[in-house]
Amino acid sequence: MATFGHMLTHSRLTKRLGAHVLFVTLCWLFLPDAEAQNEVDYLRYAHLETAGSVRSWGMGGAFGALGADLGSLHANPGGLGMYRRGDLGMALGVATVRAQILQGTSAERRSATRATLPSAGLVLTYPTIHPDWPFFSLGVTYTQRANLDRNTTINPTAQESSLLEVFSNLADGVSPDDFGMSSALSMYSSLAWDTYLIDPLDPSETSPTSYITAIPDGQVAVSRLSEASGTVGETAISLGGAFRDRLFFGVTFGLPRVDFTEITRTRETPRTDSLPLQEWTMAEELQVEGSGFNAKLGVVGVVSDWLRLGLAYHSPTRLRIGESFVTRMESFFDNGTDFNRTSPTLSNSYIVRTPARLIGSASFLMGKAGIIVADIERIDYRGGELRPTAFAGLDAPNYAPVNDVIQEIHDISYIARAGVEIRIQDHYRLRLGASYETSPYNPILADVQEAMERYTGTGGFGWRKDKYYLNLAYRRAWYAQDVYPFGNYVDDDPGTTRISHGTVIFGGGIRL
């Protein structure tokens, strides 16, 4: 959802398209029950983290050809066919996301920490009397696919243009009695009018249609605080089988779930002391809930005693997203008066289709010494899109311009993962891993400075005896991306958001 106070983290192409994209945004805002979505919303749900169990996390997430692990259901469901007994396991963790916006002078570095449920699952294995198909397994698991927590702060920064000018321009030609005719006016301009942040250009007019702001010269100091929290999680129901203990097949039906909340607070203070306005603030609150479905197919083949190869296909995910949005505005004047207003709640629903994924895997079994694993994953981010819901009717927003931007600025991305598990005595395992993800952006057309290349390092330790096991893992990922912290209404160069994400998880289970 593109809002005026939102810290836009999209590519410079969208910024360069400027008038076109902003025009489309405003057109959508003027629909009675619609809000503007863009490629920021798309990438929020498409740019996922590698899923898995504590064991697979410790090995860099490269688990597509190893199997017989709860992480198999989300990476390569063919690994489910390798089970010979049931499995019940769960993991708990603590995740910390650190974010810092750099533009001109450094902004504060802020952290968001929360307890998480990275994974949990149950696998039941059933023997058969057919010699070629000796086992079938049924599994149900949950795994977290993305942590959407982000806290960022922009310290007071001098700007030559106030956000009030946008609200005044939106209201131009419209009487205050008609501000309820559109979302943009009712969410922003109406609140600015009611809090005396925009006034009639001609004070004698009783029903004005031209306006002036409470900061006529536009010289302001702007600060902004954004607090976002949420997750993308997925429940998976899987079925797997083994053919002559050489080929292992599996299919997973996934039920993803999105929960996301973002609150952005903007404060503007005039840089001119002679104005009666001391400062004004605006809070924008976005709440998102979504659910959908996808499917995964996988196969693992035993090439030799020391080599296994795997191939998995993850279908596009279809998510139905429901959003609610509200704004609050407050003004403070030097005579001691203050005014505050809250907008109506704006609700909207739309469909996000994220791209398909193809994963090739290999595992090398080194006898009792350990295991080496590797994955390569291909994601074509040009294959996603936004759509209206089935019952949107004739008033549904036209997502074609946004989908054109999605296809234009994105490209094929690859994720290379590798890991090792080293056996220490009979019951202990040491694990190390790493991954590198190329940019989801087209390097030429997106014209970004920070391309969101993601680096990840992992480590872990495991203990197993008889049918019980305990595992510990740590994963740290970091990347950077462009950000327009003051939105499209300010014509400036992008800043940089640097994000690092560290998670400690501990889990255990029992083989049934």
Side-chain angles (χ1 to χ4, degrees):
M1 176 172 289
T3 65
F4 287 105
H6 188 70
M7 299 184 192
L8 295 175
T9 53
H10 50 185
S11 74
R12 200 183 304 177
L13 174 65
T14 302
K15 190 77 172 183
R16 195 169 65 234
L17 291 176
H20 171 69
V21 172
L22 188 55
F23 172 77
V24 171
T25 299
L26 295 182
C27 287
W28 291 353
L29 282 168
F30 270 75
L31 293 173
D33 298 307
E35 183 60 44
Q37 284 73 42
N38 57 27
E39 74 278 7
V40 178
D41 302 274
Y42 163 70
L43 206 57
R44 180 190 299 145
Y45 311 121
H47 195 240
L48 302 177
E49 300 166 358
T50 299
S53 63
V54 186
R55 184 188 180 196
S56 65
W57 270 40
M59 301 166 70
F63 222 77
L66 199 53
D69 184 89
L70 293 175
S72 301
L73 282 69
H74 293 270
N76 183 343
L80 183 64
M82 294 184 173
Y83 271 105
R84 293 298 174 266
R85 57 196 299 186
D87 192 0
L88 174 64
M90 185 177 70
L92 299 174
V94 176
T96 298
V97 180
R98 293 184 174 89
Q100 183 180 36
I101 293 180
L102 303 176
Q103 187 176 41
T105 59
S106 296
E108 284 187 40
R109 185 179 184 183
R110 301 196 66 211
S111 300
T113 301
R114 69 150 73 189
T116 66
L117 178 66
S119 64
L122 169 67
V123 171
L124 299 175
T125 299
Y126 304 93
T128 74
I129 59 174
H130 198 294
D132 290 339
W133 298 90
F135 290 93
F136 285 97
S137 297
L138 175 67
V140 179
T141 61
Y142 169 84
T143 188
Q144 182 175 295
R145 297 305 314 273
N147 183 328
L148 302 179
D149 294 352
R150 301 286 186 276
N151 288 349
T152 55
T153 298
I154 299 177
N155 295 321
T157 303
Q159 294 289 335
E160 304 300 318
S161 176
S162 169
L163 184 57
L164 296 178
E165 297 174 19
V166 178
F167 305 156
S168 175
N169 292 336
L170 280 174
D172 189 47
V174 182
S175 168
D177 294 335
D178 296 325
F179 280 171
M181 65 180 287
S182 76
S183 299
L185 290 172
S186 63
M187 305 297 286
Y188 296 99
S189 300
S190 179
L191 273 61
W193 171 261
D194 289 340
T195 55
Y196 296 90
L197 294 171
I198 62 174
D199 295 303
L201 183 61
D202 182 355
S204 64
E205 290 185 346
T206 58
S207 183
T209 58
S210 297
Y211 305 89
I212 188 172
T213 77
I215 312 175
D217 61 3
Q219 303 291 306
V220 295
V222 185
S223 61
R224 183 157 297 161
L225 168 65
S226 176
E227 297 177 314
S229 63
T231 60
V232 179
E234 183 173 295
T235 301
I237 303 172
S238 305
L239 179 66
F243 179 70
R244 296 183 179 178
D245 281 337
R246 305 296 293 182
L247 287 176
F248 304 89
F249 302 91
V251 58
T252 291
F253 183 72
L255 300 170
R257 172 77 185 178
V258 175
D259 290 287
F260 178 70
T261 299
E262 183 178 39
I263 301 175
T264 301
R265 297 179 175 88
T266 302
R267 182 186 303 273
E268 284 193 353
T269 304
R271 290 156 55 197
T272 304
D273 295 334
S274 60
L275 295 177
L277 179 67
Q278 289 185 344
E279 67 177 27
W280 72 276
T281 63
M282 178 174 66
E284 299 169 283
E285 182 175 344
L286 171 67
Q287 293 188 334
V288 180
E289 291 185 351
S291 59
F293 58 87
N294 58 44
K296 303 177 180 70
L297 302 173
V299 60
V300 177
V302 176
V303 180
S304 66
D305 291 340
W306 58 271
L307 176 63
R308 297 174 183 173
L309 299 177
L311 183 66
Y313 170 76
H314 296 189
S315 77
T317 295
R318 183 187 185 277
L319 288 168
R320 187 184 190 279
I321 302 296
E323 297 180 339
S324 64
F325 180 68
V326 66
T327 59
R328 300 177 179 88
M329 212 170 287
E330 189 167 8
S331 59
F332 302 87
F333 292 86
D334 56 11
N335 62 3
T337 59
D338 65 273
F339 305 90
N340 63 83
R341 292 292 187 274
T342 300
S343 74
T345 299
L346 181 67
S347 299
N348 186 37
S349 298
Y350 60 99
I351 303 297
V352 178
R353 189 173 70 88
T354 67
R357 296 166 180 255
L358 187 65
I359 306 173
S361 311
S363 61
F364 305 89
L365 283 66
M366 303 179 295
K368 294 184 177 182
I371 304 167
I372 297 175
V373 290
D375 285 355
I376 183 73
E377 183 171 347
R378 179 187 185 273
I379 312 158
D380 189 350
Y381 284 98
R382 300 169 301 182
E385 63 179 354
L386 306 183
R387 300 174 181 171
T389 58
F391 301 103
L394 297 177
D395 293 332
N398 177 18
Y399 291 106
V402 173
N403 290 332
D404 289 342
V405 173
I406 288 174
Q407 294 178 12
E408 182 115 8
I409 69 175
H410 293 110
D411 206 347
I412 298 173
S413 175
Y414 294 93
I415 308 176
R417 295 183 285 262
V420 60
E421 180 180 78
I422 302 171
R423 183 172 181 175
I424 302 174
Q425 297 181 347
D426 289 336
H427 306 299
Y428 301 98
R429 306 290 187 272
L430 177 66
R431 303 174 183 123
L432 297 170
S435 70
Y436 167 68
E437 182 174 355
T438 65
S439 171
Y441 290 117
N442 183 304
I444 299 175
L445 296 178
D447 192 22
V448 294
Q449 296 182 3
E450 299 292 345
M452 290 184 69
E453 296 174 317
R454 182 156 53 187
Y455 303 84
T456 304
T458 68
F461 186 79
W463 169 86
R464 180 176 177 179
K465 185 176 182 181
D466 298 327
K467 60 182 182 179
Y468 301 100
Y469 60 88
L470 296 172
N471 292 305
L472 175 70
Y474 175 75
R475 178 170 72 181
R476 188 170 190 84
W478 58 96
Y479 64 93
Q481 64 185 122
D482 288 358
V483 61
Y484 293 92
F486 300 108
N488 269 336
Y489 75 96
V490 176
D491 186 15
D492 57 359
D493 292 328
T496 298
T497 300
R498 293 179 179 173
I499 297 173
S500 63
H501 180 190
T503 306
V504 177
I505 57 173
F506 175 79
I510 180 173
R511 290 298 175 99
L512 305 176

